[in-house]
Amino acid sequence: MNGINRRWVLASRPVGEPVAENFRLDSQPVPEPQAGQVLLQTLYLSIDPYMRGRMSDAKSYAPPVALGEVMVGGAVSRVIASQHPDYAVGELVMAYTGWQEYALSDGNGLFRLGDLVQPSLALGVLGMPGFTAYMGLLDIGQPQAGETVVVAAASGAVGAVVGQIAKLQGCRVIGIAGGAEKCRYVVDELGFDACIDHKAPDLATRLAEACPQGIDVYFENVGGKVFDAVLPLLNTKARVPVCGLIAHYNATSLPDGPDRLPLLAATLLKQRIRMQGFIIFDDYGHRFPEFLQQMGPWVAAGKIRFREHRISGFESAPQALIGVLRGENFGKCIVHLAD
Amino acid sequence: MNGINRRWVLASRPVGEPVAENFRLDSQPVPEPQAGQVLLQTLYLSIDPYMRGRMSDAKSYAPPVALGEVMVGGAVSRVIASQHPDYAVGELVMAYTGWQEYALSDGNGLFRLGDLVQPSLALGVLGMPGFTAYMGLLDIGQPQAGETVVVAAASGAVGAVVGQIAKLQGCRVIGIAGGAEKCRYVVDELGFDACIDHKAPDLATRLAEACPQGIDVYFENVGGKVFDAVLPLLNTKARVPVCGLIAHYNATSLPDGPDRLPLLAATLLKQRIRMQGFIIFDDYGHRFPEFLQQMGPWVAAGKIRFREHRISGFESAPQALIGVLRGENFGKCIVHLAD
């Protein structure tokens, strides 16, 4: 096959919020699959908050993207040439092939989508975000019927699923989202019991009013002022799965004092709270089949609803990530390259 | 029975470090047991860091001691009069009868010591501190052979037991204690692999040198600068049972900034750490028999060693607590009233 493979590579590391100049669009020849390889064409590229972390070289759970290398990310792709005995041309797959229009694979890390009715779901409710929501809530949060569950970033790819699963468990579910429109969606479409707009004044007061019995599970996606409002409401024996801290990803320094690290430790002690970070595929990869077996029917039956924030055109990927980090997306952010 | 019952009551709430004036010694007639009651004479009074929390009226896991009421605390006592069918005069018991020379009991919360060879152990290695160490380490810390376990307040009533159990599990165990004499004891007598003096300069550097493989379990008894030295060394999937924060108990305000609460949350996330507070009898009371069944033989066989810091005379109780909060005790602090 001849042609051009456009790729977004990391041009420089961001200081604070990423800017367009941190990314560079380059062009390479589309590679030729060798024996045992397939050539993939990217159809949908997933845009997720964790990508901000990979742009920095601070110590983290995964190595950073090297300067000049293709940005990381999951994608839904079509096999357009195959020298691999297990994959036929035309098949749809999901893989972490990064921000590029074409990629080679030897089959490692390829996930066959089969007859999935909407392939982009493999990047959302039936993919990493949905799996993150499922395991973080059920395995770490362990919600019991009647308990109060609070979900930050409630209209987002992970939060929306967390809240809906918590409702299926019989919990009272309070979302926190940015803006009246997202809050309406979270209550009216997703069925949360209430949703607090973190852009409105008095977040802490309004969250306390929405949680008269305190908080038993807080699914942490955000940090910042949202966590500050949650902390005094946490009940004895509360569980806090820590999935993300988007409010801090662009921070270049710690906030001003006083130093509340001892306050958090003392709250964990006095309230006997379990707070636990997790990285979904590292901690739970072996349970992905179990997740699909449960989530597939829930989605098919309309018990778990979802919303995609689609952006057209590969050239939009950097702006899409910048927008996600600002909370400008409304639903799971996906860049659509081809059908 | 006639006579005087001396009691230490809470005279005022401390601001910062407790002072002698926060306590008042009063005298009451020794009470008479009614039908179904026993009269207890206190032999040994336990002095523990948690008592500082009960002196304040800040929100905590247990209600504070009311002004004018007897200070809380566990004690080993002898039944000296009985109108209770299950208890005979002369029996030794452990109960939370507080800081007083005599107390009535209807049998609730009384724990019969039987033929325990050294009754004061029921306040230490075979009582609340030992139970705290056992459950916090094994149930929350879940140490695996070959892992590195760091124990704060390593010569204290809880820390000494934590480290010795961790050694029995095949772990590499590093203690942190205040002063060269305590550190020598922790290594030479208790068998820890190393012990860092937190009063010496360069705590962080020396702890890092003692933990070349990082830290898998940190048993938190202290907080403050000890936790600051531990935090950057915590490994992926580390566990942090939070048992106490003695460095903060006398604090009247939070430390100066920057605000490191987001740093702690980010570390939990990136390193996938589980940090969990616990209160021993609330969370694990039902497992006390299991603890005794395991710990009794360990102590009898000399596998778990212990040291008591004995103070004579009931009138010394306030100074004993003030000393414990300063780290002046060397071993489990016990006030000895009578034989």
Side-chain angles (χ1 to χ4, degrees), chain B residues 270-287:
Chain B
K270 290 177 184 175
Q271 300 290 74
R272 301 138 61 192
I273 292 165
R274 178 157 48 83
M275 187 165 178
Q276 182 173 345
F278 69 106
I279 306 295
I280 186 62
F281 282 107
D282 293 356
D283 290 329
Y284 292 107
H286 60 293
R287 295 178 67 178

Side-chain angles (χ1 to χ4, degrees), chain B residues 3-7 9 26-31 68 70 100-102:
Chain B
I4 295 299
N5 178 27
R6 291 190 299 167
R7 320 183 308 165
V9 301
D26 80 5
S27 293
Q28 301 273 333
V30 173
V70 176
Q100 52 186 340
E101 294 179 299
Y102 299 91

Side-chain angles (χ1 to χ4, degrees), chain B residues 185-216:
Chain B
Y185 167 74
V186 164
V187 173
D188 294 347
E189 300 290 322
L190 302 183
F192 287 35
D193 295 286
C195 188
I196 313 295
D197 180 0
H198 67 70
K199 294 179 176 174
D202 291 332
L203 170 62
T205 304
R206 297 169 68 234
L207 184 62
E209 287 168 359
C211 302
Q213 310 296 320
I215 299 172
D216 299 298

Side-chain angles (χ1 to χ4, degrees), chain A residues 256-278:
Chain A
D256 287 341
D259 181 7
R260 298 179 308 145
L261 188 153
L263 173 68
L264 176 53
T267 304
L268 298 184
L269 172 58
K270 291 178 184 175
Q271 300 289 75
R272 302 139 58 194
I273 291 165
R274 179 158 47 84
M275 188 164 177
Q276 184 172 346
F278 70 106

Side-chain angles (χ1 to χ4, degrees), chain B residues 5-325:
Chain B
N5 178 27
R6 291 190 299 167
R7 320 183 308 165
W8 278 111
V9 301
L10 185 63
S12 57
R13 301 202 183 279
V15 177
E17 187 175 34
V19 294
E21 292 69 33
N22 297 134
F23 306 88
R24 186 178 65 242
L25 191 61
D26 80 5
S27 293
Q28 301 273 333
V30 173
E32 293 283 339
Q34 307 299 308
Q37 294 185 329
V38 292
L39 176 63
L40 303 174
Q41 180 186 10
T42 305
L43 307 183
Y44 301 98
L45 177 61
S46 185
I47 301 291
D48 301 285
Y50 77 84
M51 294 168 172
R52 175 64 182 83
R54 305 292 178 89
M55 297 178 75
S56 295
D57 56 5
K59 181 184 178 189
S60 187
Y61 55 86
V65 176
L67 291 176
E69 289 298 311
V70 176
M71 276 291 293
V72 293
V76 164
S77 305
R78 179 180 288 118
V79 177
I80 58 169
S82 180
Q83 304 273 3
H84 192 296
D86 297 343
Y87 292 92
V89 168
E91 284 196 280
L92 294 181
V93 297
M94 188 269 157
Y96 279 82
T97 45
W99 293 20
Q100 52 186 340
E101 294 179 299
Y102 299 91
L104 292 178
S105 169
D106 63 2
N108 276 322
L110 270 198
F111 187 79
R112 195 180 261 112
L113 299 190
D115 55 357
L116 192 62
V117 64
Q118 185 178 330
S120 62
L121 295 193
L123 304 177
V125 68
L126 294 176
M128 182 273 286
F131 188 33
T132 298
Y134 181 90
M135 281 295 161
L137 178 69
L138 295 179
D139 196 68
I140 300 178
Q142 297 182 2
Q144 308 298 310
E147 288 191 326
T148 298
V149 175
V150 170
V151 186
S155 70
V158 175
V161 179
V162 169
Q164 292 179 89
I165 298 176
K167 283 304 297 178
L168 291 174
Q169 307 300 310
C171 299
R172 175 172 164 79
V173 180
I174 311 300
I176 301 172
E181 189 188 357
K182 288 181 180 176
C183 284
R184 258 195 308 275
Y185 167 74
V186 164
V187 173
D188 294 347
E189 300 290 322
L190 302 183
F192 287 35
D193 295 286
C195 188
I196 313 295
D197 180 0
H198 67 70
K199 294 179 176 174
D202 291 332
L203 170 62
T205 304
R206 297 169 68 234
L207 184 62
E209 287 168 359
C211 302
Q213 310 296 320
I215 299 172
D216 299 298
V217 179
Y218 171 58
F219 193 99
E220 174 65 295
N221 262 326
V222 170
K225 66 183 179 182
V226 173
F227 186 73
D228 298 348
V230 164
L231 187 61
L233 302 176
L234 289 171
N235 284 335
T236 297
K237 303 287 273 179
R239 288 80 66 198
V240 182
V242 183
C243 163
L245 292 163
I246 196 169
H248 304 291
Y249 290 167
N250 286 335
T252 53
S253 63
L254 290 168
D256 287 341
D259 180 7
R260 298 179 307 144
L261 188 152
L263 173 68
L264 176 53
T267 305
L268 298 184
L269 171 58
K270 290 177 184 175
Q271 300 290 74
R272 301 138 61 192
I273 292 165
R274 178 157 48 83
M275 187 165 178
Q276 182 173 345
F278 69 106
I279 306 295
I280 186 62
F281 282 107
D282 293 356
D283 290 329
Y284 292 107
H286 60 293
R287 295 178 67 178
F288 193 66
E290 165 194 337
F291 155 74
L292 282 182
Q293 204 159 30
Q294 177 68 76
M295 186 63 80
W298 277 346
V299 172
K303 291 184 175 175
I304 300 284
R305 305 181 67 173
F306 57 91
R307 180 184 174 110
E308 289 185 349
H309 182 92
R310 286 204 186 196
I311 294 173
S312 285
F314 180 61
E315 52 294 342
S316 306
Q319 282 305 324
L321 177 57
I322 291 167
V324 162
L325 294 169

